[in-house]
Amino acid sequence: MPRRVDHEERRRELTAALLRIASTRGLQAASMREVAAEAGVSLRLVQYYVTDKRTLMASGLAELTARLDRRVRDRAAALGSGLPPRTVLEVVLGAILPTDDDSRADQLAWTAYYAAGLTDPANAVDGQYAPHALERWLTGVLTRAIEDGQVSSDRDPRIEVVSLLALTNGLVSSVLGQQRTVEDALAVVRYRLDRLFPAS
Amino acid sequence: MPRRVDHEERRRELTAALLRIASTRGLQAASMREVAAEAGVSLRLVQYYVTDKRTLMASGLAELTARLDRRVRDRAAALGSGLPPRTVLEVVLGAILPTDDDSRADQLAWTAYYAAGLTDPANAVDGQYAPHALERWLTGVLTRAIEDGQVSSDRDPRIEVVSLLALTNGLVSSVLGQQRTVEDALAVVRYRLDRLFPAS
DNA sequence: AACGTTGAGATACAGTCGTACCACAAAGCT
DNA sequence: AGCTTTGTGGTACGACTGTATCTCAACGTT
């Protein structure tokens, strides 16, 4: 039945299957055959559309960073512009935390990739997912909040942002490991923001 | 040459070999044969002294938590008792960060175990390494600091400690991923502590 | 109508994995 | 002295891995 087929679409399905396995059973379990079974196709087709395992893994990582980036971007865009810095920070950091099943699955897969990249330079995660862009954006937001007098001027916006991102990262870990609920994690973030933005 | 041999000692050597592999090439690469080669013995001996791979992995995790715990405990004990809460926090949090090659290797192995445990319930890390004990201890320290007036009474010691530990955890990740130096990470921790303990 | 390209199935191959098994030498015990 | 335990080597087995190959049906082009 060789109807003409959209290779890009096929690859996306296979990548999604890979990430589904990675988030549930780990990257370890993500063999070519398992990906084929998860996608409901033959092993041969995985080879055909994806050629290598390396390229499959690479597109899995690319898809993952795109998803995480999109989640933050969408959440921020949905709230329009011109909202108070404190709200921006809360929304953005909240978008990183694994709140629903999808984001939790993605964060699990991300953690697997991250750990793999620490020892195997092959599929290394360059930085955090777009860390520089996010970091610089939030630093700008916080800097403006200081200039507006909403935040004490003896705060270092750069270090505050780094600190908030690292905190959120740590909270993500503990939520994934089920030592904490997402609600508790969000409460910690809000607590930090409350101290950063004193009641006017 | 069947001289009588210390099984416990042998197991410790094999466990060390496992962790050496895990921290350099990842848990993925830690096969029985690789552990044997790293320890300079035959595959058969690894089987003999360690029987299973599961038990080898388990003792690797146990050794790792023991090391990390010991690092914190030693560092704290080396400073004697009766020192200011701010110093206690700085020393303990600093002991978690990967400062030298050994602690960096251990944290790398720990991350590998942690990631593996998220998807594979077999070798799951129960909590953080002794998270409850450490958390409760530091909370007590901070509570006393509040009672002494060194820390503002509108701070929640529980959440402050959770926040500091999650922050440190996030910093460890970024240091391992070489997005930050240990010095930068330590500076962030000190910055946070400076705000928690205002200049007297 | 003929043919080359594309999509798909099945299977083969070489390697690695954890584990099991067989053999045997050195030591301790009686 | 003889036998049982303990330590060690080598190797085999079945399962799984990524990749390569051989085959063929259905379509588009000429």
Side-chain angles (χ1 to χ4, degrees):
Chain A
M1 304 77 178
R3 205 68 192 217
R4 214 46 162 284
V5 100
D6 185 354
H7 280 226
E8 212 58 46
E9 172 60 21
R10 287 286 232 220
R11 255 191 292 259
R12 243 174 290 137
E13 284 173 18
L14 294 172
T15 302
L18 162 69
L19 293 182
R20 242 174 292 141
I21 296 175
S23 64
T24 53
R25 287 177 289 155
L27 267 183
Q28 184 98 323
S31 71
M32 290 287 196
R33 284 166 178 85
E34 288 295 329
V35 171
E38 173 72 28
V41 300
S42 74
L43 167 63
R44 179 64 181 87
L45 281 206
V46 179
Q47 290 187 269
Y48 185 68
Y49 288 104
V50 118
T51 62
D52 241 5
K53 180 168 192 190
R54 304 184 83 83
T55 62
L56 175 61
M57 294 284 283
S59 66
L61 182 54
E63 167 69 13
L64 216 44
T65 67
R67 283 192 199 173
L68 296 174
D69 186 67
R70 189 175 350 127
R71 229 183 294 272
V72 171
R73 210 173 296 272
D74 284 2
R75 202 79 70 98
L79 289 175
S81 63
L83 24 76
R86 145 95 207 221
T87 307
V88 172
L89 283 169
E90 187 171 331
V91 166
V92 167
L93 296 180
I96 298 178
L97 293 174
T99 48
D100 53 23
D101 286 352
D102 284 347
S103 60
R104 175 180 166 83
D106 286 344
Q107 287 284 10
L108 278 170
W110 178 264
T111 303
Y113 265 103
Y114 191 84
L118 286 181
T119 44
D120 181 14
N123 50 359
V125 174
D126 341 273
Q128 242 66 329
Y129 47 101
H132 308 88
L134 191 58
E135 196 173 309
R136 263 179 302 161
W137 176 35
L138 295 184
T139 303
V141 170
L142 192 53
T143 302
R144 249 168 289 130
I146 293 178
E147 290 167 353
D148 288 357
Q150 297 174 274
V151 169
S152 165
S153 64
D154 67 348
R155 300 276 189 164
D156 182 328
R158 169 79 169 60
I159 301 193
E160 289 289 346
V161 167
V162 167
S163 167
L164 283 171
L165 285 175
L167 167 71
T168 307
N169 230 349
L171 289 174
V172 167
S173 267
S174 61
V175 170
L176 291 181
Q178 291 175 334
Q179 295 123 7
R180 229 179 297 285
T181 66
V182 209
E183 290 77 21
D184 287 348
L186 250 173
V188 173
V189 170
R190 290 210 198 88
Y191 176 92
R192 274 269 77 78
L193 291 178
D194 283 342
R195 259 106 216 116
L196 187 54
F197 292 82
S200 57
Chain B
M1 301 83 178
R3 204 68 194 215
R4 212 48 162 281
V5 98
D6 184 354
H7 280 228
E8 213 58 47
E9 171 60 20
R10 285 288 233 216
R11 254 190 294 259
R12 243 175 290 136
E13 284 173 18
L14 293 173
T15 303
L18 162 69
L19 293 182
R20 242 173 293 141
I21 295 176
S23 64
T24 53
R25 284 176 290 156
L27 268 182
Q28 183 95 318
S31 70
M32 291 288 199
R33 286 168 177 84
E34 287 295 329
V35 171
E38 173 72 28
V41 300
S42 74
L43 168 62
R44 179 67 181 83
L45 281 205
V46 179
Q47 290 187 269
Y48 185 69
Y49 289 103
V50 118
T51 62
D52 241 4
K53 181 169 191 188
R54 304 185 81 84
T55 61
L56 176 60
M57 294 285 283
S59 66
L61 182 54
E63 167 68 13
L64 216 44
T65 67
R67 285 191 199 172
L68 296 174
D69 187 66
R70 188 173 353 126
R71 228 183 292 272
V72 170
R73 210 173 296 272
D74 283 3
R75 202 79 70 98
L79 288 173
S81 62
L83 25 75
R86 145 92 208 224
T87 306
V88 171
L89 283 169
E90 186 171 331
V91 167
V92 167
L93 297 179
I96 297 178
L97 293 175
T99 48
D100 52 23
D101 285 352
D102 284 347
S103 60
R104 175 182 166 83
D106 286 345
Q107 286 285 9
L108 279 171
W110 177 265
T111 303
Y113 265 103
Y114 190 84
L118 287 180
T119 45
D120 181 13
N123 51 358
V125 173
D126 342 273
Q128 240 70 323
Y129 48 101
H132 309 87
L134 191 58
E135 196 173 309
R136 262 179 304 162
W137 177 35
L138 295 184
T139 304
V141 169
L142 191 52
T143 302
R144 250 168 288 130
I146 293 176
E147 290 165 354
D148 288 359
Q150 297 174 274
V151 169
S152 165
S153 64
D154 66 349
R155 299 278 188 161
D156 183 329
R158 169 79 169 62
I159 301 193
E160 289 288 346
V161 166
V162 166
S163 167
L164 282 172
L165 285 175
L167 166 71
T168 307
N169 230 348
L171 289 174
V172 168
S173 267
S174 62
V175 170
L176 292 181
Q178 290 175 336
Q179 295 121 9
R180 229 179 299 284
T181 66
V182 209
E183 290 77 21
D184 288 347
L186 250 173
V188 173
V189 170
R190 291 210 197 89
Y191 177 92
R192 275 267 76 80
L193 292 178
D194 283 342
R195 258 105 215 118
L196 187 54
F197 294 81
S200 57

